[in-house]
Amino acid sequence: MGYPASPRLRQARCAIIGFGCNQAFLFTMLYLDGSVAGPEHGFLADRADLLCLLAVMAVTFALMLHRRCRAALLGAGDGLVNLFAAPLVLALVALVALRALLPEAPWIGLALLEGLLVGVPLALLLCLWGRALGAAPIDRSVPEVFIGSALGAAVCFLVAALPVAGATLLLYALPLGSAWGLRALAALADADPAGGRASAGGEGAAGETAGAAGASDAPDDEASKLSGRILAGTVVFGLATGAIEAMTARAQAASHTSLSVTFILFVLYCVAALQLYGARPLSLGTRAVLPSGSGQETGPLGGAYRLAVLLMVGGFIAVPLLERVGVAGVAVVLAGYLGVFSVLVSLFLIMGRIAGRDATASIARGFAALFAGEILGVLVGAGALAAFGGAGAAPVLVTLAGVAALYAYLFLFTDRDMAALSVVVSRTDRFEEACALIAASAKLSKRESEILPLALRGRTAERIAGEFFISKNTVDTHLRRIYAKCGVHTRQELIDLGERTERELHERN
């Protein structure tokens, strides 16, 4: 007779399966869905759906950065999840039927329609997953990102390898699994409020705002610099990948063979990256960012970053060699890019936490930069193909894209920055431990415990109200109760208490 799984294990399973479904659907729409392409396989016809999808998603992520828009969009996303993402699946079925009934319909119209009907819901689901994963400790969410991404790539590989025409249409049902995962996490969070997950519906403010860099302004400054460097690197990685994608004809049958290579290489990459975490990456005591040994400067995520860039750059070098044996060289490049993509998702979650920001805002900011860079790369590639011709432009694009990827790694977000990130995360851990200790000692309520980190960082009542989507008067009431329970009278006295608690924890360790 088996024993029931612990709440933490059930949460991890739901997160991995649900996020894996979401990643598989994202990979499908970006790489496997060539249904809009026309029979002439012209450049724009082959890439119109990709460009429209990326553009719509980038705009949606940009709107998510404004608090009022974010509240409305998250509300729409929660409604979509409550319906198990059925509207998105039905929209995809309707698009398939429309293309079958109107084979002569203009490809640009179909591409725009698909971008709107699919891009907006997909962007909302990504943000909701950012919120759900950001509500968990980083040491749990980062391995979940890699395991879920590997699961999604494995699903795409298995379906793409089926010798059945139209088999990829099966992947259109994956949003149902993504919505199930978010709903399951919400139910588990409601049943176990201390489990460290924000609900998929509602505010989810605990996980989105509890992370803070420290009581002083210095960590904020350092986190802001790191965030800027990460975003700059994100744009360049997207640019390099977009330039390579400009060389591919996504709708051609031969591309599916290369994509199968991409997915299997990416799965192997994720397995290798998870080896850096040890035999049990989700076990207690595993640190995703902090060094795990005396001779290390960064944690497992730093090693995963180096491995992804190595695979990506190795793909650029191997392009001419692989072309000779009938394998598209871009398959290795795209596998490396998916590795970088997984690392970037993890970094977006981390930056949202240490900067004390809404996790959805951090995810939206990062994906907006990534997809903007990818769009620019595709357009640059289109210009090169038009200027030099297909055969003449390929070596130029590969060289420039490889240089751009190396530049991003060597000069924008480097190993040194990853080491600096581990220091900031260490400070964040100590600050959060101090917040937890103060909240437990003063017997603060759940909402008061959520507001405490922002109050210790000197956030104004107006800004706290905006973070939680509540009124300023409500925030003032919570602050007065926090002062009374902690035995202080002013915000400065509360900040002094936080700094004193941090110093004691540092001396104790």
Side-chain angles (χ1 to χ4, degrees), residues 26 28 38 186 193 198 220 244 271 303 312 357 364 372 376 385 389 426:
L26 177 64
T28 298
D220 260 346
I244 291 298
V271 171
M312 190 174 185
R357 296 193 186 101
L376 181 60
L385 289 170
S426 179

Side-chain angles (χ1 to χ4, degrees), residues 369-382:
L370 181 65
F371 290 159
E374 199 166 344
I375 292 170
L376 181 60
V378 173
L379 295 178
V380 168

Side-chain angles (χ1 to χ4, degrees), residues 159-170 253 256:
V159 174
L162 290 176
V164 179
T168 55
L169 296 179
L170 297 173
H256 277 218

Side-chain angles (χ1 to χ4, degrees), residues 87-480:
L88 175 55
V89 177
L90 292 176
L92 286 167
V93 173
L95 283 171
V96 173
L98 181 63
R99 289 190 289 263
L101 294 173
L102 301 174
E104 301 301 324
W107 52 263
I108 186 61
L110 292 175
L112 288 172
L113 184 61
E114 180 175 323
L116 290 172
L117 293 180
V118 178
V120 174
L122 182 52
L124 295 180
L125 286 174
L126 279 170
C127 286
L128 291 177
W129 273 108
R131 186 175 70 182
L133 293 170
I138 291 299
D139 298 330
R140 284 170 52 190
S141 63
V142 171
E144 287 172 355
V145 166
F146 282 96
I147 299 173
S149 297
L151 176 62
V155 170
C156 288
F157 168 76
L158 292 174
V159 174
L162 290 176
V164 179
T168 55
L169 296 179
L170 297 173
L171 299 172
Y172 285 176
L174 287 168
L176 301 175
S178 175
W180 167 84
L182 289 168
R183 286 175 61 96
L185 289 176
L188 289 170
D190 291 339
D192 181 22
R197 291 276 187 188
S199 64
E203 295 171 3
E208 295 170 4
T209 57
S216 65
D217 290 335
D220 260 346
D221 294 338
E222 192 169 357
S224 297
K225 292 178 182 178
L226 287 171
S227 179
R229 295 175 74 88
I230 290 172
L231 287 179
T234 296
V235 172
V236 176
F237 279 123
L239 176 66
T241 304
I244 291 298
E245 287 176 337
M247 297 169 53
T248 65
R250 297 168 58 242
Q252 295 177 358
S255 69
H256 277 218
T257 301
S258 297
L259 286 172
S260 295
V261 175
T262 294
F263 291 134
I264 197 64
L265 284 177
F266 176 60
V267 170
L268 293 175
Y269 159 80
C270 289
V271 171
L274 288 168
Q275 294 301 309
L276 300 172
Y277 292 80
R280 300 176 62 190
L282 291 172
S283 63
L284 293 174
T286 300
R287 310 305 299 271
V289 182
L290 300 183
S292 57
S294 58
Q296 293 181 317
E297 292 185 359
T298 60
L301 186 60
Y305 180 47
R306 289 192 295 272
L307 184 60
V309 174
L310 177 63
L311 180 60
M312 190 174 185
V313 174
F316 288 120
I317 298 173
V319 165
L321 300 176
L322 293 176
E323 296 288 353
R324 295 178 182 177
V325 295
V327 177
V330 297
V332 182
V333 176
L334 289 179
Y337 168 68
L338 293 180
V340 172
F341 182 93
S342 300
V343 172
L344 290 175
V345 171
S346 302
L347 290 173
F348 300 155
L349 293 174
I350 293 170
M351 295 312 300
R353 174 185 172 222
I354 66 179
R357 296 193 186 101
D358 185 334
T360 55
S362 180
I363 285 287
R365 184 179 294 104
F367 277 122
L370 181 65
F371 290 159
E374 199 166 344
I375 292 170
L376 181 60
V378 173
L379 295 178
V380 168
L385 289 170
F388 299 100
V396 175
L397 283 177
V398 170
T399 301
L400 292 179
V403 170
L406 274 176
Y407 177 79
Y409 177 69
L410 296 176
F411 299 104
L412 291 179
F413 189 70
T414 67
D415 273 344
R416 182 178 299 177
D417 296 315
M418 189 67 77
L421 180 64
S422 69
V423 173
V424 177
V425 169
S426 179
R427 294 175 183 170
T428 303
D429 286 348
R430 189 162 62 246
F431 175 75
E432 291 185 346
E433 188 177 353
C435 289
L437 183 59
I438 293 172
S441 301
K443 297 182 180 179
L444 301 183
S445 68
K446 181 176 183 291
R447 178 63 82 184
E448 292 163 357
S449 298
E450 295 165 358
I451 291 176
L452 176 64
L454 300 182
L456 288 176
R457 297 196 62 203
R459 298 287 194 264
T460 64
E462 290 83 358
R463 184 168 177 182
I464 296 175
E467 293 282 355
F468 288 94
F469 304 111
I470 58 180
S471 69
K472 177 180 176 296
N473 290 335
T474 301
V475 173
D476 289 333
T477 299
H478 286 305
L479 287 174
R480 286 195 296 270

